[in-house]
Amino acid sequence: MYFRGTWGCNLALSATIGIPQALLYYKYYPLWEGFLKGLGAEVVSSNVTTKRIVNAGTSVAENELCLPVKIFFGHLIELKDKVDALFVPRVISVEQGTYTCPKFLGLPDLARAVDAKLPKILDPTFNTRLGRRHFYEALFDFGKTFTNSKYKIWRAWMTGVAAQKAYQKKLLAGVSPLEALGGDAGAILSTGDLKIGIAGHPYNVHDPYINLNLIKKLKKWGAQVVTEEMILPRVLEHEANKLPKRLFWSYEREVVGAAFHWLQTRTVDGIIYILSFACGQDSLIQVLLETEAKKHEGIPFMSLVIDEHSGEAGLITRVEAFIDMLRWRSLS
Amino acid sequence: MKGFLGVDVGSVSTNLVVLGEHGDVISLIYRRTQGQPINAVQEGMKEIQADLPGDIEIIGVGTTGSGRYLSGVIVGADIVKNEITAHAVAASHVVPQVRTVLEIGGQDSKIILLRDGIVVDFAMNTVCAAGTGSFLDHQSTRLGIPIEEFGSYALESTVSCQIAGRCSVFAESDMIHKQQMGYRMEDIIYGLCQALVRNYLNNLAKGKELLSPIVFQGGVAANAGMKKAFEESLQIEIVIPEYHHVMGAIGAALLARGTVRDGKTNFKGFEISSIDYQTRSFHCKGCENNCEIVRIQVGGKTLACWGGRCGKWEVATAEEAELLLQTSV
């Protein structure tokens, strides 16, 4: 059986389940929250990443992992004493013919290997590669942990889907994920004279700790910021298909699609690409993006590589110089 | 006589320049920072004041370099700019048609591409310092040859000697090996210059179009061996500006000239060289991040604070900083 539920026994209806504010949180939190609440669970999420969380994560994680995964572990540790179980789904594939990052495929296993005593880990599998039937079978199988009523499981899922749709609509309209999820995003109105596209994985782009508050800084310096969430999925899909060979990672297709869209439509003054130092996919699409950006003269492209050793001084210098460069252009 | 002051506080050197109203260099100071940026700026101010004509009136100040915020507070800057912009401004002032700027400083190196007087692309070393001035500095100490003489040694080289320049530690092992094999010192030194150039071009210039005129600036540009190695590798003539070692400060002064209107400058005067500045750092308890905040004080009064992720300490005035200190520490 391709779906392996490892949680074993039934959870009490009022169980508190923790969702770490890291990695796919920025993409699917409303879906997961709606689904779990619909099943009768209490849901809590961790707070924004702090130094303590980063230190906790990096101290238990394998050294070769990327910073976002290490931070994910930090969030698990942050939640461990507050919840009955942790929600760490195995997101294998979210559309036909593609995969997600290999670390997402093994995330529950990586989490179990973390050197810290963690509560029970709930790891439903989300895999659309094998078709709808398998996907929903897995869903019902997971739902059985909470209830035997297939109807209730279905209704819970649909509640999550509705919340997710509403969330994505907000993001499309330009609300940042943290704002949409009710957290503080240091919302400064974007009324700048420059428009900058921020490419990169949402967990890098929207975690102010990982990117050293890049978005807030850009806004303070008078730049409007646009991200991939503000582009229609079919547009991302269309743009990503311009690559001679289909990328087989979904989320990276979205990053590529967004950057290509901005370059193609010339709707931004410049693009900043945030990437993790240890990320395999990022290292590959960085080259694809840089090559494509060269073909579109007049839209500067800059990569910012981030890991736990990143110094703020170097990052600020680069971003300041990037903004100066864009302003200088628009003056002449 | 009116002038603009530019201050560039880098990791290795602290440079001050006073430009006339037309951008001509009236006076310049180049000195080592020696890990004491405040002292270096104060001593530099003393020196440059002694060198300047008595009737000089500073009508604008700009600061740049990694110590730009600190020096900006001390001298009263009208503009605080990053070193990439400052170097680009200075290069296009000295060589108006410049299309490529190579800059190698103490602990960082940059490449800036300009087209029609506008910066179109730039890069700065990120994870490694193998392609910077301290690499040469370190090797010169080891070889017992003053860094100032490195260039003339390199030019004496007759047979080039391949040194592994990927990492400065491995370059050193390789160099020791070459010495033990009996290679001439001149060839080894030129080999080092070539290794540095190779490293620079691989790291920073990768995939970029380096078009003439190319201006080479920063402290390392004083090394004639480096110029030769760049020219050999790129097959293009390299221009080294007269004031190559203080281009950052020149850029900062030029930026000040472009910023200050109606002569309203924040300049605090040359007297600041005798003020006793103190820096203190503390951990902000505003949130779990416990950021380390630096505060600069004079006689127990806070002038400015910075550091911290949220940006709340970079407040505009000293009064606000004082208020914030009372409420959140």
Side-chain angles (χ1 to χ4, degrees), chain A residues 205-217:
Chain A
V205 173
H206 299 295
D207 186 333
Y209 196 96
I210 290 190
N211 62 42
L212 302 147
N213 253 334
L214 178 69
I215 291 185
K216 199 171 161 189
K217 282 187 182 116

Side-chain angles (χ1 to χ4, degrees), chain A residues 2-4 7 19 24 28-29 31-33 35-36 39 87-95 98-100 104-105 108 122-132 134-140 142-143 157 160-161 250-251:
Chain A
Y2 92 101
F3 180 80
R4 289 172 297 127
W7 40 88
I19 300 183
L24 296 175
Y28 303 124
Y29 182 73
L31 173 70
W32 294 343
E33 186 200 29
F35 180 42
L36 292 171
L39 289 172
F87 188 72
V88 187
R90 191 187 303 275
V91 180
I92 294 176
S93 170
V94 293
E95 58 185 333
T98 66
Y99 278 108
T100 67
F104 292 163
L105 269 61
L122 301 180
D123 63 344
T125 299
F126 292 102
N127 185 355
T128 54
R129 280 185 75 80
L130 302 167
R132 254 165 208 278
H134 275 279
F135 179 80
Y136 287 114
E137 267 174 21
L139 208 63
F140 285 125
F142 171 73
W157 179 249
V161 169
S250 293
Y251 302 134

Side-chain angles (χ1 to χ4, degrees), chain A residues 57-293:
Chain A
T58 46
S59 64
V60 296
E62 229 2 270
N63 197 29
E64 282 158 35
L65 291 168
C66 64
L67 180 62
V69 169
K70 290 179 182 175
I71 287 178
F72 181 84
F73 295 157
H75 282 274
L76 292 182
I77 291 168
E78 188 75 6
L79 283 168
K80 74 182 168 66
D81 298 323
K82 300 173 189 158
V83 299
D84 302 313
L86 291 164
F87 188 72
V88 187
R90 191 187 303 275
V91 180
I92 294 176
S93 170
V94 293
E95 58 185 333
Q96 292 276 319
T98 66
Y99 278 108
T100 67
C101 163
K103 277 149 200 153
F104 292 163
L105 269 61
L107 199 58
D109 310 315
L110 286 170
R112 285 195 186 92
V114 160
D115 187 18
K117 198 161 166 36
L118 296 178
K120 200 183 290 285
I121 286 175
L122 301 180
D123 63 344
T125 299
F126 292 102
N127 185 355
T128 54
R129 280 185 75 80
L130 302 167
R132 254 165 208 278
R133 222 189 83 215
H134 275 279
F135 179 80
Y136 287 114
E137 267 174 21
L139 208 63
F140 285 125
D141 206 5
F142 171 73
K144 269 187 217 151
T145 320
F146 298 86
T147 171
N148 285 324
S149 156
K150 268 200 167 184
Y151 170 70
K152 203 176 164 193
I153 298 169
W154 177 250
R155 217 179 47 185
W157 179 249
M158 291 322 282
T159 310
V161 169
Q164 180 69 17
K165 276 187 183 155
Y167 173 64
Q168 279 168 346
K169 210 171 156 186
K170 275 191 200 168
L171 298 188
L172 203 57
V175 181
S176 83
L178 285 185
E179 284 170 321
L181 295 169
D184 167 50
I188 299 171
L189 278 178
S190 298
T191 49
D193 56 330
L194 292 174
K195 198 168 175 186
I196 296 178
I198 309 285
H201 291 113
Y203 48 79
N204 286 333
V205 173
H206 299 295
D207 186 333
Y209 196 96
I210 290 190
N211 62 42
L212 302 147
N213 253 334
L214 178 69
I215 291 185
K216 199 171 161 189
K217 282 187 182 116
L218 287 173
K219 286 181 176 173
K220 204 175 88 187
W221 291 332
Q224 286 182 60
V225 170
V226 288
T227 58
E228 64 176 43
E229 290 88 353
M230 302 176 198
I231 304 169
L232 282 169
R234 62 177 157 79
V235 175
L236 294 178
E237 176 71 21
H238 176 74
E239 292 290 340
N241 283 341
K242 287 181 179 163
L243 283 176
K245 182 172 179 279
R246 194 178 155 87
L247 268 182
F248 41 80
W249 306 297
S250 293
Y251 302 134
E252 284 69 17
R253 282 171 59 79
E254 292 171 7
V255 176
V256 168
F260 278 25
H261 172 70
W262 293 323
L263 290 170
Q264 194 65 45
T265 55
R266 307 188 73 86
T267 42
V268 295
D269 297 297
I271 298 174
I272 297 179
Y273 172 40
I274 307 174
L275 60 150
S276 306
F277 181 67
C279 177
Q281 292 95 298
D282 267 345
S283 70
L284 199 137
I285 58 175
Q286 180 187 12
V287 181
L288 295 177
L289 295 186
E290 278 173 1
T291 312
E292 185 66 20

Side-chain angles (χ1 to χ4, degrees), chain B residues 143-207:
Chain B
L143 294 172
I145 294 173
I147 186 76
E148 294 78 17
E149 289 168 29
F150 240 54
S152 46
Y153 268 89
L155 294 184
E156 296 293 307
S157 161
T158 45
V159 188
S160 84
C161 154
Q162 175 105 7
I163 307 255
R166 183 62 72 197
C167 158
S168 55
V169 176
F170 289 158
E172 184 170 329
S173 342
D174 203 30
M175 215 167 65
I176 293 169
H177 174 68
K178 293 280 163 28
Q179 282 179 292
Q180 285 164 345
M181 297 269 288
Y183 283 85
R184 285 171 65 223
M185 188 69 92
E186 290 82 356
D187 295 336
I188 293 177
I189 290 178
Y190 187 56
L192 266 178
C193 294
Q194 287 178 313
L196 205 152
V197 164
R198 213 165 35 238
N199 202 317
Y200 176 94
L201 294 176
N202 286 343
N203 279 337
L204 297 181
K206 186 180 56 184

Side-chain angles (χ1 to χ4, degrees), chain B residues 15-28:
Chain B
N15 316 319
L16 290 87
V17 166
V18 172
L19 295 185
E21 283 179 280
H22 304 290
D24 46 311
V25 175
I26 298 176
S27 177
L28 69 88

Side-chain angles (χ1 to χ4, degrees), chain B residues 7 40 42 46 63 91 95 109 126 164 178 188 206 209 227 245 248 258-259 261 279 283 295 300:
Chain B
V7 181
Q42 288 185 313
K46 240 182 248 172
T63 62
V95 182
S109 47
T126 45
K178 293 280 163 28
I188 293 177
K206 186 180 56 184
E209 200 181 7
K227 177 178 190 269
H245 55 311
T259 311
R261 299 271 175 272
T279 52
H283 289 277
R295 117 174 92 147

